[in-house]
């Protein structure tokens, strides 16, 4: 399945940036632009993951491997050649690990932005709580402002509400509606959060690195120790939360460029 995507940079080093749950490729545009400026040898592909943004909807029973296959197919259709460097935030990182397991020859390395290979307990999933709230929101609204008010009235912050209403599109009958299928995304989220991806770090030749937010909890100290024991370095941005690319963009870029694995 070919996903909606766009590219940044004109280099020859193929690098795929993958967003988190409920996001789109646009969420990582600033990172790609800044990275391209200091490393013009790269060519970045930013895709809307399956079921997100303007990409096709999730098929029934979709797994991380399903989405990973779509990412690899999209990268090849877009003209990216050779083993790919995959950089994923949250869900995007887990999709990247799944891609390295599905097709090791197609993946040169994986960079995880505040996510680990461990299953994510429901009680720990911030995106799960957002999804629960999103399911109670109306399917349509007169405009973005009205839907934003609906979300904030259900307890979501102004910043998070502003981010979510980016997923609205004009409704045929007037007003706006959700671009994505909330029910299928909710089912997918519950299903894939339970996937264990440690095999992606344990396989021979695996090249994985990780950076975590010091204020987040998706990469525990136990995860860090286990990852480092398997040869996966883990750095910490002390003041950042889960959205490391938003909270500490300059520090993240320095780490990405200084410690980048060589092809």
């Amino acid at each position: 399945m070919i996903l909606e995507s766009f590219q940044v940079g004109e280099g020859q080093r193929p690098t795929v940036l993958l967003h988190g749950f409920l996001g789109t490729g646009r969420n990582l545009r600033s990172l790609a632009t800044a990275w391209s400026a200091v490393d013009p040898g790269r060519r970045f592909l930013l895709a809307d993951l399956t079921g997100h943004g303007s990409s096709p909807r999730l098929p029934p029973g979709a797994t991380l491997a399903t989405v990973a296959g779509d990412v690899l197919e999209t990268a090849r259709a877009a003209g990216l050649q050779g083993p790919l460097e995959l950089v994923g935030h949250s869900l995007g990182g887990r999709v990247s690990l799944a891609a390295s397991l599905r097709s090791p020859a197609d993946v040169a390395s994986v960079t995880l932005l505040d996510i680990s290979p461990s299953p994510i307990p429901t009680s720990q999933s911030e995106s799960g709580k957002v999804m629960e709230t999103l399911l109670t929101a109306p399917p349509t609204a007169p405009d973005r402002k009205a839907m934003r008010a609906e979300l904030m009235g259900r307890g979501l912050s102004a910043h998070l509400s502003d981010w979510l209403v980016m997923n609205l599109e004009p409704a045929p009958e007037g007003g706006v509606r959700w671009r994505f299928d909330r029910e299928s995304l909710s089912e997918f989220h519950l299903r894939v959060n339970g996937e264990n991806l440690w095999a992606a770090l344990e396989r021979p030749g695996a090249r994985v690195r990780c950076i975590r937010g010091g204020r987040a909890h998706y990469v525990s100290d136990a995860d860090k120790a286990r990852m480092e024991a398997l040869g996966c370095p883990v750095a910490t941005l002390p003041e950042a939360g889960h959205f490391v690319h938003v909270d500490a963009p300059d520090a993240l870029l320095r780490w990405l460029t200084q410690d980048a694995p060589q092809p």
Side-chain angles (χ1 to χ4, degrees):
M1 185 183 297
I2 303 299
L3 305 175
E4 181 73 17
S5 66
F6 64 93
Q7 296 185 34
V8 173
E10 300 178 354
Q12 297 301 310
R13 191 170 173 180
T15 308
V16 181
L17 301 187
L18 300 177
H19 63 82
F21 187 63
L22 300 178
T24 69
R26 290 178 298 169
N27 298 151
L28 297 172
R29 183 193 292 273
S30 295
L31 174 60
T33 301
W35 195 348
S36 180
V38 299
D39 190 354
R42 290 183 183 270
R43 180 179 175 191
F44 295 91
L45 179 78
L46 294 84
D48 293 353
L49 294 175
T50 319
H52 294 73
S54 299
S55 285
R57 294 191 173 189
L58 288 159
T63 63
L64 291 173
T66 306
V67 180
D70 293 340
V71 168
L72 295 175
E73 182 179 355
T74 299
R76 296 312 181 200
L80 271 64
Q81 300 177 353
L84 308 168
E85 296 184 44
L86 304 182
V87 181
H89 172 247
S90 200
L91 171 63
R94 292 172 64 76
V95 170
S96 298
L97 291 174
S100 73
L101 289 170
R102 179 186 176 108
S103 187
D106 284 314
V107 179
S109 65
V110 172
T111 297
L112 302 173
L113 305 184
D114 203 60
I115 201 67
S116 87
S118 294
I120 303 172
T122 302
S123 60
Q124 183 180 310
S125 174
E126 296 173 8
S127 53
K129 297 180 178 68
V130 173
M131 191 73 242
E132 290 176 5
T133 302
L134 196 56
L135 287 170
T136 69
T140 62
D143 52 34
R144 288 174 181 263
K145 183 178 179 181
M147 188 65 82
R148 180 180 185 272
E150 290 280 357
L151 296 174
M152 291 184 65
R154 287 166 169 76
L156 297 185
S157 68
H159 176 75
L160 185 53
S161 298
D162 287 337
W163 180 65
L164 288 171
V165 298
M166 292 172 64
N167 289 293
L168 293 171
E169 64 181 5
E173 64 277 13
V176 295
R177 68 180 182 184
W178 295 107
R179 180 182 290 119
F180 47 48
D181 182 333
R182 293 176 292 170
E183 287 72 21
S184 67
L185 276 174
S186 178
E187 293 170 3
F188 171 76
H189 187 259
L190 289 171
R191 183 164 54 248
V192 303
N193 270 7
E195 292 192 37
N196 184 319
L197 296 162
W198 282 99
L201 274 70
E202 295 165 349
R203 70 178 181 84
R207 299 173 70 214
V208 185
R209 59 177 177 158
C210 174
I211 191 165
R212 64 177 182 168
R215 295 189 291 106
H217 52 252
Y218 281 94
V219 183
S220 68
D221 289 342
D223 286 331
K224 180 177 185 293
R226 183 176 175 183
M227 293 166 80
E228 291 179 335
L230 290 169
C232 169
V234 180
T236 303
L237 296 174
E239 302 305 317
H242 182 49
F243 291 85
V244 289
H245 54 291
V246 176
D247 296 339
D250 294 340
L252 173 62
L253 184 60
R254 284 194 297 273
W255 177 80
L256 287 169
T257 54
Q258 292 172 4
D259 298 327
Q262 297 302 310

